Structure formats: C-alpha cells, structure tokens
Amino acid sequence: MIMTMHDDEEYLFRALKVGASGYLLKNAYDEEMLEAIRAVYGGGIYIHPSVAPALVREFLTKNEVDEKINSYELLSKREQEILPLIALGYGNKEIAEKLFVSVKTVEAHKTSIMHKLGFEKRTDLVHYAIKKKFD
C-alpha cells in the first residue's frame, strides 16, 4: 500500500503503523509515483525524502526510550523497590521509613538509579517511572 498524504509527521506515522510500504506527498509528480509503485511492488519501501528526517527522529527517540525502559533490568532489587516510590512522590525520609533503611541509603540508591538510567534530574526519573507504568 502506498499512501499519498500531507507533509505532516502524524500522517506519516499513522500510515506506517497501519502497514503502508510507501509514503508520497499529495503534490508528487507522476515520475515519483511510478518510482514509488515500482519500489513497493518489488518488495521495497518508498518514503518521500522531505519526510524521511521526521521518520529517523522518531526512530531514534523511540529507540532511546526503549533502551531506558530495558535498562530497568540493570537496577538492583532494592533500586526497583525505590523507583516506584520516587515516582509516587515520596521523599527520601518517607521512602526510608517504608523500607526500614536510612535516608542516606535511599539517597545512595537514588543516585545509583539515576546513573544507571542516565538521568540528571529527579523529574526525568519520575517521567521514566510513569512510562514504565509501575503497579
């Protein structure tokens, strides 16, 4: 299937998600349409060059998020216990009380979590935890 659409990233992503193998803009020339049809018919893909950068950006962003989600497995058991509590808004003292450890221990684990996941700010850690969807 080849889609002819607008120069809008959202249309591109939707088309690809539903199985499009080609993407042209509405104002594509006849030669370009033939090129796209040949490419797709031959088992390949065709993406209009003006929307290709958006596709690459989306791929790289998704890849980065997936890597961080997968890096959750690098966390120790205790770090995996602490992360959802951080996401729920508990402070270091509250987390320490819940887990029967010292505040310094919580701070050390939080620093380790941020290092392992590549975050610099607590807010990044909270956003990550929300995306991870802890129960």
Side-chain angles (χ1 to χ4, degrees):
M1 160 181 24
I2 297 176
M3 302 292 292
T4 59
M5 288 290 184
H6 309 277
D7 186 8
D8 184 339
E9 294 175 11
E10 188 60 33
Y11 287 107
L12 169 66
F13 302 137
R14 283 185 193 167
L16 294 174
K17 283 179 184 175
V18 297
S21 296
Y23 192 90
L24 292 169
L25 299 181
K26 280 185 168 185
N27 60 356
Y29 293 109
D30 293 344
E31 299 84 31
E32 185 181 5
M33 283 189 209
L34 289 173
E35 183 181 347
I37 290 168
R38 287 184 186 113
V40 172
Y41 182 75
I45 60 167
Y46 184 89
I47 304 293
H48 189 274
S50 71
V51 295
L55 184 59
V56 171
R57 272 193 310 277
E58 176 71 10
F59 172 77
L60 293 175
T61 301
K62 184 178 181 334
N63 227 17
E64 186 177 300
V65 169
D66 287 347
E67 278 181 27
K68 287 195 185 299
I69 296 293
N70 292 337
S71 63
Y72 176 78
E73 304 305 321
L74 298 174
L75 301 180
S76 70
K77 183 178 180 203
R78 180 62 86 182
E79 290 166 346
Q80 289 179 6
E81 291 173 339
I82 290 173
L83 182 57
L85 298 174
I86 293 170
L88 291 170
Y90 290 104
N92 292 344
K93 184 177 178 187
E94 294 168 306
I95 295 171
E97 290 170 0
K98 282 187 170 297
L99 299 178
F100 305 104
V101 296
S102 74
V103 173
K104 292 279 187 198
T105 300
V106 172
E107 290 171 357
H109 282 303
K110 187 169 78 173
T111 300
S112 177
I113 293 167
M114 292 179 70
H115 176 74
K116 287 179 181 179
L117 298 178
F119 296 124
E120 294 180 16
K121 298 181 288 186
R122 180 186 169 105
T123 54
D124 294 333
L125 196 57
V126 172
H127 288 272
Y128 167 85
I130 291 168
K131 285 184 180 177
K132 184 77 177 137
K133 297 178 185 163
F134 293 107
D135 294 321

